[in-house]
Amino acid sequence: MTPVDGWKLGETVFSEERIAARVGELAAAISTDYADHELTVISILKGSYIFLADLTRALTIPVRVDFLGLSSYIGAESSGQFEWNARMTTSIRDRHVLLIEDIADTGRTLLHVIDHLAEHGPASIRVCAFLDKPGRRVVDIPVDYVGFQIPDRFVVGYGLDYEGWFRQLPHISTLERV
Ligand code: XMP
Ligand code: MG
């Protein structure tokens, strides 16, 4: 792929095939855990959009999808400051909620969202993160479903971006200086 802003793709961390297999496993586990229930899936924009599309299409339970948008991330540094830029339009009162996030890093984003959702009286809240960097955690949050754990390396693809670029890659890749 053509470099962007002096960055090119490095090594493939998770291939498209490996991702598809893992997302299938996650969907099966979630469908089993929520069997006989209805699920409200809340996707945190923008990074989770591809994971959301693949995961929800593999679920076998009734699902509603809604979105929350917040930004905290300036370039490659997590700021801990949040700004809402998209709100849910679905009521989650007494609903089982599954939050979908691209990656759990420091955990601040998920903590902020969980606190926000808890104010709306859901029956339950669980978290599903495609990637998890446990070594980077600074706040304690439950991540109930994890696609893959990764070490502290910046990765892109499958929805994850560098300044908006590289989200469309079907695999997860590192970045390298050109
Ligand atoms: P926190 O620190 O709040 O951060 O858990 C979660 C958000 O940080 C971004 N993030 C990344 N984005 N590659 C990315 O493209 C990465 O390796 C990475 N690590 C963290 C991401 O936006 C996530 O929602
Ligand atoms: Mg994000």
Side-chain angles (χ1 to χ4, degrees), residues 23-163:
V23 171
E25 289 173 359
L26 286 175
I30 293 165
S31 298
T32 300
D33 292 352
Y34 289 93
D36 305 321
H37 290 286
E38 296 165 347
L39 188 59
T40 303
V41 168
I42 311 253
S43 159
I44 304 176
L45 294 170
K46 303 171 188 169
S48 63
Y49 78 108
I50 295 180
F51 180 43
L52 170 83
D54 286 347
L55 184 77
T56 53
R57 285 180 297 170
L59 294 174
T60 56
I61 49 173
V63 165
R64 281 206 286 204
V65 176
D66 206 341
F67 298 89
L68 276 176
L70 77 171
S71 43
S72 70
Y73 220 66
I74 319 284
E77 276 304 314
S78 186
S79 66
Q81 302 294 312
F82 296 98
E83 193 183 356
W84 293 104
N85 45 45
R87 299 268 182 184
M88 303 181 289
T89 57
T90 312
S91 170
I92 59 165
R93 184 157 303 278
D94 301 326
R95 294 287 177 182
H96 294 289
V97 171
L98 183 65
L99 261 180
I100 307 288
E101 174 65 312
D102 53 357
I103 182 166
D105 187 53
T106 65
R108 289 193 183 106
T109 305
L110 280 165
L111 183 65
H112 192 75
V113 173
I114 291 167
D115 286 350
H116 172 74
L117 294 181
E119 291 169 11
H120 292 79
S124 67
I125 303 177
R126 283 187 190 161
V127 173
C128 176
F130 176 64
L131 298 178
D132 184 18
K133 286 182 181 170
R136 291 262 306 162
R137 204 73 93 248
V138 300
V139 294
D140 196 26
I141 39 134
V143 186
D144 303 279
Y145 303 96
V146 172
F148 301 101
Q149 291 196 336
I150 56 166
D152 182 15
R153 290 177 84 178
F154 193 80
V155 293
V156 295
Y158 201 66
L160 290 111
D161 69 306
Y162 171 72
E163 302 209 341

